[in-house]
Amino acid sequence: MPGTVTLIRSTRLSDVAQYAYAATAPAGARPVFLAGACPLNEDGSTAAVGDYAGQAAKAFENMRTALAAAGACLEDVISTRVLVASTRQEDLVSAWDVVRAAFGDHDAPSTLLGVTVLGYADQLVEIEAVAAVVDC
Protein backbone atom coordinates (compact mmCIF):
# COMPACT_ATOMS: atom_id res chain seq x y z
CA MET A 1 0.00 0.00 0.00
CA PRO A 2 1.80 3.17 -1.14
CA GLY A 3 1.81 6.27 1.01
CA THR A 4 1.93 4.64 4.43
CA VAL A 5 4.53 7.13 5.67
CA THR A 6 3.43 10.38 7.31
CA LEU A 7 5.84 13.29 6.87
CA ILE A 8 5.97 15.68 9.82
CA ARG A 9 6.76 19.39 9.74
CA SER A 10 7.01 21.81 12.63
CA THR A 11 6.22 25.50 12.43
CA ARG A 12 8.85 25.95 15.16
CA LEU A 13 11.66 24.87 12.79
CA SER A 14 13.01 26.69 9.76
CA ASP A 15 11.21 26.09 6.48
CA VAL A 16 14.49 26.48 4.56
CA ALA A 17 15.15 22.73 4.52
CA GLN A 18 13.88 20.96 1.39
CA TYR A 19 12.55 17.99 3.35
CA ALA A 20 10.32 17.11 6.29
CA TYR A 21 12.11 17.05 9.63
CA ALA A 22 10.53 13.78 10.78
CA ALA A 23 8.39 10.91 9.53
CA THR A 24 6.33 8.13 11.05
CA ALA A 25 4.98 4.81 9.86
CA PRO A 26 1.76 3.21 11.07
CA ALA A 27 1.66 0.36 13.57
CA GLY A 28 2.22 -2.91 11.82
CA ALA A 29 4.34 -1.46 9.04
CA ARG A 30 7.22 -3.64 7.89
CA PRO A 31 10.54 -1.78 7.90
CA VAL A 32 12.66 -2.01 4.77
CA PHE A 33 16.36 -1.15 5.19
CA LEU A 34 18.17 -0.54 1.92
CA ALA A 35 21.91 -0.82 1.51
CA GLY A 36 23.47 2.25 -0.01
CA ALA A 37 22.36 2.48 -3.63
CA CYS A 38 25.43 3.00 -5.77
CA PRO A 39 25.72 4.40 -9.31
CA LEU A 40 26.56 1.01 -10.80
CA ASN A 41 25.46 -0.34 -14.14
CA GLU A 42 24.24 -3.96 -14.41
CA ASP A 43 27.72 -5.06 -15.51
CA GLY A 44 29.22 -3.59 -12.30
CA SER A 45 30.87 -0.61 -13.95
CA THR A 46 30.45 2.84 -12.45
CA ALA A 47 27.99 5.04 -14.33
CA ALA A 48 28.55 8.71 -15.15
CA VAL A 49 32.21 8.85 -14.09
CA GLY A 50 33.10 12.35 -12.87
CA ASP A 51 29.47 13.55 -12.91
CA TYR A 52 27.82 14.11 -9.51
CA ALA A 53 24.34 14.68 -10.93
CA GLY A 54 24.63 11.72 -13.30
CA GLN A 55 25.74 9.42 -10.51
CA ALA A 56 22.95 10.67 -8.24
CA ALA A 57 20.42 9.86 -10.97
CA LYS A 58 21.81 6.33 -11.47
CA ALA A 59 21.99 5.69 -7.71
CA PHE A 60 18.38 6.87 -7.37
CA GLU A 61 17.32 4.57 -10.20
CA ASN A 62 19.04 1.65 -8.46
CA MET A 63 17.42 2.60 -5.13
CA ARG A 64 14.01 2.60 -6.78
CA THR A 65 14.73 -0.90 -8.18
CA ALA A 66 15.72 -2.16 -4.71
CA LEU A 67 12.57 -0.65 -3.20
CA ALA A 68 10.39 -2.40 -5.79
CA ALA A 69 12.11 -5.72 -5.07
CA ALA A 70 11.11 -5.27 -1.42
CA GLY A 71 7.52 -4.42 -2.32
CA ALA A 72 7.96 -0.71 -1.64
CA CYS A 73 7.79 2.51 -3.64
CA LEU A 74 9.14 6.04 -3.20
CA GLU A 75 6.17 7.12 -1.09
CA ASP A 76 7.12 4.41 1.41
CA VAL A 77 10.56 5.94 2.07
CA ILE A 78 10.76 7.21 5.64
CA SER A 79 14.30 8.66 5.51
CA THR A 80 17.41 8.90 3.36
CA ARG A 81 21.09 9.59 3.69
CA VAL A 82 22.90 10.95 0.62
CA LEU A 83 26.68 10.54 0.67
CA VAL A 84 28.81 12.55 -1.74
CA ALA A 85 32.56 12.08 -2.09
CA SER A 86 33.60 15.72 -2.07
CA THR A 87 34.58 18.57 0.23
CA ARG A 88 32.89 21.10 -2.07
CA GLN A 89 29.40 22.16 -1.09
CA GLU A 90 28.42 22.74 -4.73
CA ASP A 91 29.12 19.05 -5.49
CA LEU A 92 26.85 18.01 -2.63
CA VAL A 93 24.14 20.36 -3.89
CA SER A 94 24.51 19.00 -7.43
CA ALA A 95 23.76 15.48 -6.19
CA TRP A 96 21.06 16.67 -3.77
CA ASP A 97 19.16 18.58 -6.46
CA VAL A 98 18.75 15.35 -8.45
CA VAL A 99 17.61 13.35 -5.42
CA ARG A 100 15.23 16.06 -4.23
CA ALA A 101 13.64 16.44 -7.67
CA ALA A 102 13.26 12.66 -8.07
CA PHE A 103 11.30 12.40 -4.81
CA GLY A 104 8.86 15.12 -5.91
CA ASP A 105 6.24 15.86 -3.27
CA HIS A 106 7.46 13.07 -0.99
CA ASP A 107 10.20 15.09 0.71
CA ALA A 108 11.22 12.49 3.29
CA PRO A 109 13.66 13.46 6.05
CA SER A 110 17.19 13.31 4.70
CA THR A 111 20.80 13.89 5.61
CA LEU A 112 23.32 15.11 3.02
CA LEU A 113 26.95 14.28 3.81
CA GLY A 114 30.29 15.01 2.24
CA VAL A 115 32.61 12.04 2.67
CA THR A 116 36.22 11.32 1.80
CA VAL A 117 35.78 8.27 -0.39
CA LEU A 118 33.16 5.70 -1.35
CA GLY A 119 33.58 1.99 -2.04
CA TYR A 120 33.70 1.59 -5.82
CA ALA A 121 36.21 2.93 -8.35
CA ASP A 122 35.16 6.41 -9.54
CA GLN A 123 32.11 6.42 -7.22
CA LEU A 124 30.97 9.88 -6.14
CA VAL A 125 27.43 9.32 -4.79
CA GLU A 126 25.57 6.77 -2.65
CA ILE A 127 22.01 6.90 -1.32
CA GLU A 128 20.84 4.97 1.75
CA ALA A 129 17.14 4.67 2.54
CA VAL A 130 14.70 3.28 5.08
CA ALA A 131 11.13 2.57 4.04
CA ALA A 132 7.99 1.28 5.77
CA VAL A 133 5.46 -0.96 4.04
CA VAL A 134 2.05 -2.19 5.14
CA ASP A 135 1.48 -5.57 3.52
CA CYS A 136 -2.04 -6.34 2.35
Side-chain angles (χ1 to χ4, degrees), residues 1-129:
M1 165 194 257
T4 61
V5 171
T6 301
L7 301 177
I8 300 168
R9 292 163 176 79
S10 172
T11 58
R12 298 185 64 199
L13 296 170
S14 170
D15 63 358
V16 173
Q18 297 179 348
Y19 46 81
Y21 281 100
T24 62
R30 174 175 50 91
V32 178
F33 300 93
L34 279 70
C38 300
L40 299 179
N41 296 311
E42 284 187 40
D43 66 2
S45 63
T46 302
V49 173
D51 179 1
Y52 289 92
Q55 287 202 6
K58 182 61 176 175
F60 196 89
E61 176 187 324
N62 290 343
M63 180 191 72
R64 181 177 262 171
T65 299
L67 282 166
C73 64
L74 291 181
E75 292 78 14
D76 297 319
V77 172
I78 199 163
S79 68
T80 66
R81 184 176 299 131
V82 180
L83 298 95
V84 182
S86 180
T87 59
R88 296 172 6 119
Q89 188 176 31
E90 55 267 28
D91 296 335
L92 276 69
V93 171
S94 179
W96 172 252
D97 286 346
V98 171
V99 172
R100 178 65 193 95
F103 268 110
D105 290 338
H106 186 72
D107 57 345
S110 190
T111 300
L112 176 63
L113 299 168
V115 299
T116 304
V117 66
L118 292 167
Y120 292 100
D122 301 315
Q123 182 183 0
L124 300 172
V125 178
E126 188 164 328
I127 306 168
E128 297 178 12

